[in-house]
Amino acid sequence: MKFIKKNLLRTTVLAILSVTLFYFFFDSNKQNALAITNANEYNVEVFKTPSCGCCYGYVKFLEKEKFKVKQTDLRYLHDVKQKYNIPLEMQSCHTTVMGKYFIEGHVPLEAIEKLLKEQPDIDGIALPGMPIGTPGMPGDKEEPFVIYQLVDGKYSIFMTI
């Protein structure tokens, strides 16, 4: 009798764990599918200079992630940076406008997904400079990427990847 109770308990615990893990993975896959599906809902425009190879690499990265991207080549990006009130120390080589937000620089997908999922009351996010290993930039990641959130030209940390 003890043997049967012990096996029944073990089977019950394994069943509960299996169901929990199934829902965890199912829900996680559902969220990933949601992020990919939502990509088509956003008007995405990348403002860049015509000769910038890494900017083109970022456009290709966004397209690979199922975003429909309009490229706008400009000789100078000063007016775009000014329009979105992006301070010099937060600037990069291109500015992406996605829905109601701007995304400055080579921002990884994790930060974009967080932005679109949480819909915070900010103007946009930025990854200043051109860090090696970011989308569109060659090389391996050398250090954590600090992504900033901006509101009226003021910034604070949004997330670190």
Side-chain angles (χ1 to χ4, degrees):
M1 192 66 157
K2 249 186 193 180
F3 178 76
I4 294 173
K5 284 183 181 179
K6 194 174 186 180
N7 279 341
L8 183 60
L9 179 63
R10 186 178 298 148
T11 303
T12 304
V13 168
L14 284 173
I16 291 170
L17 276 172
S18 297
V19 169
T20 303
L21 286 172
F22 171 78
Y23 280 109
F24 173 78
F25 285 112
F26 175 76
D27 201 35
S28 148
N29 287 336
K30 186 176 169 185
Q31 287 176 351
N32 287 341
L34 180 65
I36 290 170
T37 301
N38 286 345
N40 290 322
E41 294 177 15
Y42 293 93
N43 291 325
V44 179
E45 187 169 8
V46 177
F47 295 91
K48 63 183 208 50
T49 58
S51 60
C52 185
C54 67
C55 295
Y56 181 70
Y58 195 75
V59 168
K60 288 297 171 200
F61 154 75
L62 290 173
E63 289 175 341
K64 181 178 168 242
E65 296 301 330
K66 308 298 185 224
F67 289 98
K68 292 180 183 174
V69 182
K70 175 185 176 188
Q71 293 181 67
T72 301
D73 288 332
L74 301 170
R75 189 174 173 118
Y76 302 104
L77 297 175
H78 175 75
D79 291 344
V80 173
K81 312 290 185 190
Q82 195 171 35
K83 176 181 179 181
Y84 292 99
N85 201 12
I86 303 169
L88 187 59
E89 60 272 20
M90 289 289 113
Q91 292 182 12
S92 184
C93 54
H94 61 271
T95 303
T96 303
V97 177
M98 189 175 293
K100 64 180 183 177
Y101 299 107
F102 69 79
I103 298 168
E104 180 68 10
H106 295 267
V107 175
L109 185 62
E110 296 92 333
I112 295 170
E113 286 177 333
K114 179 180 178 182
L115 177 71
L116 298 179
K117 180 181 177 190
E118 295 178 3
Q119 299 279 313
D121 189 20
I122 61 176
D123 299 326
I125 56 177
L127 178 55
M130 300 163 61
I132 293 171
T134 53
M137 289 295 295
D140 295 326
K141 181 178 178 182
E142 295 179 346
E143 58 189 16
F145 304 135
V146 179
I147 292 91
Y148 296 88
Q149 60 187 9
L150 290 89
V151 178
D152 296 326
K154 294 180 175 50
Y155 52 89
S156 59
I157 294 177
F158 179 69
M159 72 184 298
T160 301
I161 300 173

